[in-house]
Amino acid sequence: FSVNLGGASQYTSPNQLAVLPDGSTVAGALRTPSDSTNVSLRLDHSINKDHTARLSIDRQTRQTTNQGVSGFNLADRAYKSENSTTTIRMSENGPFGRRMFSESRLQLTVGSSSQSAAVEAPTIRVLDAFTTGGAQVSGGQRRFDVEASTELDYVRGAHSSRFGLLVEGGRYRSDDVSNYLGTYTFASIPDYLAGLPMSYTRKIGDPNLTYARWQAAAYAQDDWRVARTLMLSGGVRFGVQSLTLDQFNISPRINLAWSPLRSGNLTMRAGYGYFYDWLSGDLYKQTLQIDGFRQRELNVRNPSFPAPPEDGPATATNQYLWSDDLALPTSHRLNVGADRTLTPNMRVNATFTRAWGRGQLRGRNLNTPVNGVRPNAEFANILTLVSDAESQTNSLNLGWNYTRLDWKRAFFFVNYTLGTSNTNTTGAFSVPASGDNLVTEWGPSQGDIRHRANLTMSMAPFTNLSMNLNARVQSGSPYNITTGRDDNGDG
């Protein structure tokens, strides 16, 4: 058995850079303090000479203050968050005969989170200049998660096989709410000085909500030693999820490793896999909360200021819809590579990876204005999820490492990646600027960083003293250029 107690008090320093209405600049690095504690208890018990049971209990708490104050956000945008998690894990493992080994696991998690703003006030956002007012966050979430799995390994001759089952999910309650006092958005500082906001948004209604989410999977894989120099691995996974009627999700994968040289200094690898992703429970929660009735998301163009616009029945509100016929997002992944030992202490490797996603999530507005008039006057935007977007990523990864344990235990590793990443969606409920025309949306994704390089080194220059150095450099990430105004009138 073991008992561990721990705690930490630390802070990060996000950068702030904002331009105020008088033209002055607010700049600097602010502190975001965080305090955390951890208590862990673990008991291992030998059931018999072959099988072992394990029980562990973990309790973690964290409190972070002064969050949200960075970039264009001024000091009054700060808020505090508190999180606590208790996890109970149980497992049992051991062999059955000479050829089989099993392991079963059960994990139960109870967690809660809450947020509170330092200042309770409406928000004023001036694009590319500053954001002031309260953070407008309140309430929290409580969750109970269950994860159960079992695996069976079987070895016979040149084959090593694994079979497994997984069930996970939980029940969730929340009363968290944001933007409950309203947010004014201005296109520029001159518009702010003239009192001409371009939009006003606000959430009203009851945030209390309870929902559940479950998913399960079964999988099998086999590693086949075809020859001393050749390994072939294949597998398949089948999964179902309670949030969608799409229940036929099978994903195969295959990998090949070959060492053509007698010395074994060169290993060549190739692989292909077809994968699916679970639908996010947070997206499902959003459609339950902001359904146009339980909670309403007001969206007013060219509102009055500083007096807030009326929030009665005449004010249109957004509506988010869940689609039961959503297909799980999928992706294909193909990679080829080689690993070469140059000397007993030096190795190099190269891998090319191509991944393309299908059925990625994006939003569709069912209430787009026609000649400035919405088909359904009761609502502003009626947004539903659609799984027809795509993505594509290519990367070439080169690595070099050098190890000299006989020379002050020195280790050097250098890695470089050249990559591109494109997509026609920026995420669920993101609506294309041109309606359903995804052709014009294709372009760099947020992860489209052309060059990445990493350096890691360590050594022990003196007895009982070790030194480590890590360095990372990358090229710039993409950014958007916008007009700052709602030119197509969709809010």
Side-chain angles (χ1 to χ4, degrees):
F1 67 91
S2 66
V3 179
N4 290 282
L5 307 176
S9 181
Q10 58 191 21
Y11 67 89
T12 57
S13 299
N15 292 318
Q16 183 186 55
L17 181 60
V19 180
L20 301 182
D22 60 4
S24 61
T25 300
V26 177
L30 305 174
R31 287 196 176 191
T32 301
S34 178
D35 299 310
S36 61
T37 61
N38 173 260
V39 179
S40 299
L41 310 173
R42 195 182 83 178
L43 173 67
D44 292 345
H45 175 61
S46 296
I47 302 173
N48 53 42
K49 65 183 182 64
D50 293 326
H51 288 256
T52 302
R54 171 176 293 176
L55 170 67
S56 67
I57 303 175
D58 297 297
R59 169 73 175 177
Q60 298 180 346
T61 64
R62 178 181 293 274
Q63 176 178 289
T64 306
T65 57
N66 209 33
Q67 286 186 274
V69 182
S70 62
F72 297 123
N73 291 283
L74 303 182
D76 54 359
R77 293 278 294 162
Y79 68 94
K80 177 178 70 174
S81 66
E82 296 179 298
N83 299 272
S84 65
T85 303
T86 302
T87 303
I88 301 174
R89 298 183 180 93
M90 293 170 278
S91 65
E92 188 276 339
N93 63 70
F96 290 95
R98 297 175 51 250
R99 303 184 183 279
M100 291 189 294
F101 183 89
S102 74
E103 181 173 15
S104 299
R105 298 178 295 271
L106 174 65
Q107 176 174 292
L108 308 175
T109 303
V110 178
S112 65
S113 63
S114 63
Q115 301 178 110
S116 59
V119 175
E120 294 290 350
T123 299
I124 295 177
R125 182 164 65 107
V126 181
L127 298 181
D128 298 330
F130 69 92
T131 302
T132 186
Q136 298 194 64
V137 291
S138 179
Q141 301 185 55
R142 287 154 296 282
R143 62 187 179 95
F144 175 68
D145 289 303
V146 178
E147 180 178 331
S149 65
T150 183
E151 290 179 340
L152 177 65
D153 294 332
Y154 178 74
V155 179
R156 187 177 184 87
H159 293 269
S160 297
S161 304
R162 168 170 290 182
F163 307 90
L165 294 171
L166 169 69
V167 178
E168 60 183 20
R171 189 169 180 84
Y172 311 92
R173 291 190 302 150
S174 67
D175 61 359
D176 59 312
V177 63
S178 61
N179 196 26
Y180 46 85
L181 297 176
T183 297
Y184 284 100
T185 300
F186 294 84
S188 63
I189 288 181
D191 281 5
Y192 170 71
L193 295 175
L196 298 175
M198 68 176 188
S199 69
Y200 175 83
T201 60
R202 182 184 174 190
K203 288 182 183 177
I204 61 175
D206 180 14
N208 289 279
L209 185 67
T210 300
Y211 66 98
R213 174 183 61 90
W214 296 96
Q215 54 211 29
Y219 51 93
Q221 67 181 51
D222 181 68
D223 298 331
W224 178 22
R225 176 68 69 176
V226 181
R228 186 181 64 86
T229 59
L230 181 63
M231 171 74 81
L232 181 64
S233 301
V236 64
R237 177 185 174 105
F238 171 73
V240 296
Q241 189 176 29
S242 62
L243 299 181
T244 175
L245 299 178
D246 176 34
Q247 304 297 353
F248 191 74
N249 301 291
I250 296 179
S251 58
R253 67 282 315 266
I254 186 170
N255 292 281
L256 179 71
W258 179 42
S259 298
L261 304 181
R262 182 181 296 272
S263 63
N265 289 340
L266 174 64
T267 301
M268 305 181 69
R269 296 182 174 87
Y272 166 80
Y274 174 78
F275 307 93
Y276 58 84
D277 294 325
W278 301 125
L279 295 172
S280 168
D282 288 337
L283 289 177
Y284 182 64
K285 170 191 167 185
Q286 182 177 353
T287 62
L288 295 178
Q289 277 189 327
I290 312 175
D291 60 358
F293 303 99
R294 179 191 301 272
Q295 274 195 295
R296 302 173 62 214
E297 187 176 67
L298 306 181
N299 191 338
V300 183
R301 298 183 62 206
N302 304 317
S304 58
F305 179 80
E310 295 295 329
D311 54 16
T315 303
T317 178
N318 289 336
Q319 184 182 41
Y320 294 84
L321 303 178
W322 184 262
S323 302
D324 290 333
D325 59 349
L326 276 177
L328 297 185
T330 61
S331 61
H332 302 258
R333 187 178 182 90
L334 176 68
N335 65 81
V336 294
D339 190 319
R340 178 67 189 266
T341 300
L342 301 179
T343 70
N345 300 312
M346 187 184 303
R347 299 172 65 94
V348 294
N349 62 78
T351 302
F352 173 77
T353 302
R354 180 182 179 89
W356 57 102
R358 297 294 184 266
Q360 306 297 298
L361 298 179
R362 56 106 176 173
R364 171 178 290 162
N365 191 354
L366 304 180
N367 205 30
T368 302
V370 178
N371 298 323
V373 179
R374 296 188 184 273
N376 186 344
E378 182 180 357
F379 295 101
N381 299 305
I382 301 178
L383 302 176
T384 186
L385 286 173
V386 182
S387 52
D388 63 355
E390 300 179 358
S391 64
Q392 181 174 300
T393 301
N394 298 306
S395 66
L396 175 64
N397 184 275
L398 305 175
W400 171 86
N401 67 72
Y402 181 73
T403 304
R404 283 289 301 273
L405 298 180
D406 59 336
W407 184 66
K408 302 184 184 300
R409 303 182 65 85
F411 171 77
F412 301 89
F413 173 76
V414 178
N415 178 266
Y416 168 76
T417 301
L418 172 67
T420 62
S421 180
N422 292 276
T423 185
N424 52 16
T425 177
T426 55
F429 289 123
S430 64
V431 181
S434 303
D436 276 344
N437 185 4
L438 293 180
V439 175
T440 59
E441 294 297 303
W442 188 258
S445 71
Q446 293 180 348
D448 184 55
I449 299 174
R450 195 71 66 245
H451 306 280
R452 293 185 177 94
N454 297 276
L455 166 66
T456 300
M457 62 173 292
S458 66
M459 63 172 51
F462 308 106
T463 303
N464 297 328
L465 176 66
S466 61
M467 300 179 63
N468 300 276
L469 172 66
N470 296 280
R472 179 175 65 88
V473 62
Q474 69 178 46
S475 55
S477 56
Y479 60 92
N480 288 325
I481 299 177
T482 63
T483 65
R485 298 182 183 276
D486 181 16
D487 296 319
N488 63 355
D490 64 358

